[in-house]
């Protein structure tokens, strides 16, 4: 197949491009390099089945493809809050442009949504049936509401135009090719530990997240794209149900890196969710998927990547 990956030069997108090429597909990677980089896909450039396009998804684009993975959107709070209006445009206009293309060429299309659609959840763990608790005027809303509208558009293009859609709600994912200055907790802690700096824990550090290694996530995403089922157009959670406080994560990073750590507490950002853990029953039943890589193992691989990257 010929497959388009928007945001393909980013952290998750680059792993997806790599995996799709390994499976023998032609891959078109489209990115505006806001948070991604050519470096993330440099190792793919020699492959004649790989094409790289600099383009912004807020603008229309005309390509002929069989499948579209719509991953273009900054994912780290510091990046999506840098230009919040642009973040909303990326999610909403990006979804409209990609859905329009899917409709025109009859491509199947998958949207990268997020656990952020659950906001600061009052139901724990979060099943797909939970409608969420999002502050629609807060600092995180450009991302959360942008993704919620993207989901709405996907369901409406499916109901109204019969576009073959998929929606994945991704929970915190980590691994090699996260940007060292990305600002998300796993990359921050690892880079800080390797540089001998204090680990910046926001608030008390008792808030929780559940961390999925990128290879597990990519496996689930590809299964979702290629599964047929009457219910397949409804959102599917993908994430690792292992839940950790940020204080526990700091200790895990210390073990994985072999570094002694000191902690510095900084203020908790506005609307920071207190707890988050995916209910993955639906992914289990529909896709026969569950994550395989425990946090300690995934952190080791990620530490190795950052150790090499910091050296160079
Ligand atoms: P990332 O920032 O590394 O990747 C996003 C990519 O999209 C980058 O390459 C960036 O340059 C590109 N991009 C941003 N705006 C664009 C635009 N207007 N036009 C074209 N390209 C644009 O982040 P990531 O972690 O790889 O996230 C990828 C997707 O997965 C995002 O849609 C994100 O919302 C979603 N997601 C990620 C996580 C996670 O934990 N990593 C969790 C939930 C959802
Ligand atoms: N966090 C932290 N120190 C950091 C970066 C983040 O304690 O240096 C906390 C943050 O407040 C949040 C959690 O780690 O509670 C996860 O943050 P991240 O930005 O990685 O993801 P998100 O909040 O979007 O789930």
């Amino acid at each position: 197949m010929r497959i388009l990956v928007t945001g393909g030069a980013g952290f998750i997108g680059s792993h997806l491009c790599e995996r799709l090429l390994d499976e023998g597909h032609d891959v078109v990677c489209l990115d505006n390099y806001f948070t991604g980089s050519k470096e993330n896909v440099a190792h793919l450039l020699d492959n004649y089945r790989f094409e790289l396009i600099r383009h912004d998804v807020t603008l229309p684009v005309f390509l002929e493809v069989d499948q579209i993975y719509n991953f273009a959107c900054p994912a780290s709070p510091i990046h999506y809050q840098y230009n919040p209006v642009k973040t909303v445009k990326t999610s909403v206009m990006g979804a409209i442009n990609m859905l329009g293309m899917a409709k025109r060429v009859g491509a199947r299309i998958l949207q990268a949504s997020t656990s952020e659609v659950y906001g600061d959840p009052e139901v724990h763990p979060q099943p797909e049936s939970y409608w969420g608790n999002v502050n629609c005027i807060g600092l995180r809303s450009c991302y959360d509401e942008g993704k919620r509208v993207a989901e709405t558009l996907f369901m409406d293009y499916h109901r109204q135009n019969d576009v073959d859609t998929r929606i994945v709600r991704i929970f915190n994912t980590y691994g090699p090719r996260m940007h060292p200055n990305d600002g998300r907790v796993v990359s921050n802690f690892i880079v800080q530990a390797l540089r001998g700096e204090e680990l910046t824990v926001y608030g008390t550090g008792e808030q929780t997240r559940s961390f999925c290694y990128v290879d597990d996530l990519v496996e689930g995403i590809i299964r979702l794209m290629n599964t047929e089922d009457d219910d397949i157009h409804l959102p599917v959670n993908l994430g690792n149900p292992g839940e950790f406080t940020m204080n526990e994560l700091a200790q895990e990073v210390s073990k994985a890196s072999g570094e002694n750590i000191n902690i510095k507490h900084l203020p908790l950002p506005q609307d920071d969710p207190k707890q988050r853990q995916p209910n993955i029953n639906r992914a289990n039943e529909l896709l026969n998927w569950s994550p395989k890589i425990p946090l300690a193992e995934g952190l080791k691989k990620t530490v190795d990547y950052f150790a090499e990257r910091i050296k160079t």
Side-chain angles (χ1 to χ4, degrees):
M1 281 185 284
R2 188 182 302 151
I3 302 179
L4 172 65
V5 181
T6 77
F11 158 50
I12 299 175
S14 63
H15 287 274
L16 194 53
C17 289
E18 195 174 277
R19 173 71 193 270
L20 294 169
L21 285 170
D22 284 348
E23 290 186 357
H25 301 291
D26 281 12
V27 174
V28 182
C29 168
L30 182 154
D31 207 293
N32 71 349
Y33 307 120
F34 174 43
T35 51
S37 68
K38 284 190 205 162
E39 211 181 334
N40 283 340
V41 288
H43 60 299
L44 308 178
L45 289 173
D46 283 344
N47 189 328
Y48 73 97
R49 285 188 281 102
F50 183 70
E51 283 172 70
L52 189 52
I53 301 176
R54 178 191 290 265
H55 184 81
D56 195 303
V57 289
T58 59
L59 303 168
V61 60
F62 292 86
L63 297 166
E64 278 68 42
V65 292
D66 304 298
Q67 291 188 341
I68 303 168
Y69 290 89
N70 189 30
F71 275 62
C73 185
S76 154
I78 53 165
H79 290 136
Y80 69 65
Q81 288 168 19
Y82 172 76
N83 184 344
V85 173
K86 178 66 193 248
T87 300
V88 176
K89 285 186 184 173
T90 295
S91 277
V92 177
M93 293 161 72
I96 291 173
N97 288 328
M98 293 308 126
L99 283 160
M101 188 195 304
K103 181 180 158 192
R104 180 175 62 83
V105 300
R108 182 176 288 178
I109 179 165
L110 180 147
Q111 171 65 21
S113 186
T114 168
S115 53
E116 290 283 329
V117 300
Y118 302 122
D120 191 2
E122 288 160 330
V123 171
H124 191 75
Q126 295 79 53
E128 290 86 349
S129 53
Y130 177 47
W131 289 359
N133 176 35
V134 174
N135 172 4
C136 69
I137 55 169
L139 294 179
R140 294 174 84 99
S141 58
C142 58
Y143 183 74
D144 303 4
E145 297 291 5
K147 292 285 188 181
R148 286 169 68 97
V149 174
E151 288 199 7
T152 306
L153 286 162
F154 267 64
M155 291 309 298
D156 284 335
Y157 267 77
H158 171 64
R159 286 184 288 243
Q160 191 177 331
N161 301 117
D162 207 23
V163 176
D164 191 2
T165 52
R166 305 284 188 276
I167 298 169
V168 55
R169 290 185 180 155
I170 301 170
F171 283 65
N172 298 63
T173 298
Y174 69 99
R177 295 198 210 118
M178 293 183 91
H179 197 282
N181 301 326
D182 179 271
R184 281 179 280 187
V185 68
V186 174
S187 43
N188 271 9
F189 281 6
I190 291 179
V191 170
Q192 289 160 349
L194 292 173
R195 287 185 175 147
E197 296 168 1
E198 291 173 310
L199 269 57
T200 52
V201 170
Y202 301 163
T204 61
E206 286 307 298
Q207 69 274 30
T208 67
R209 293 292 186 276
S210 306
F211 299 100
C212 186
Y213 189 68
V214 64
D215 290 355
D216 279 334
L217 179 82
V218 166
E219 175 63 35
I221 288 170
I222 289 179
R223 285 192 197 193
L224 175 59
M225 178 64 114
N226 295 294
T227 296
E228 313 265 358
D229 189 279
D230 289 346
D231 253 1
I232 201 70
H233 308 290
L234 296 171
V236 178
N237 286 341
L238 289 181
N240 190 321
E243 186 181 0
F244 296 82
T245 66
M246 295 312 104
N247 294 323
E248 288 166 342
L249 177 69
Q251 295 310 322
E252 290 295 323
V253 166
S254 169
K255 279 189 232 160
S257 62
E259 304 284 345
N260 289 323
I261 54 154
N262 290 309
I263 283 176
K264 168 165 82 176
H265 286 274
L266 294 178
L268 191 67
Q270 190 195 81
D271 293 336
D272 200 277
K274 287 182 268 311
Q275 52 181 3
R276 182 181 291 156
Q277 185 194 33
N279 173 326
I280 57 165
N281 292 346
R282 194 166 141 71
N284 224 304
E285 284 159 22
L286 265 180
L287 316 176
N288 189 25
W289 178 89
S290 57
K292 302 278 176 279
I293 300 167
L295 184 65
E297 186 184 334
L299 282 181
K300 275 217 168 64
K301 292 173 196 260
T302 314
V303 165
D304 290 347
Y305 167 79
F306 278 114
E308 197 54 40
R309 180 145 183 184
I310 285 170
K311 245 195 280 165
T312 56

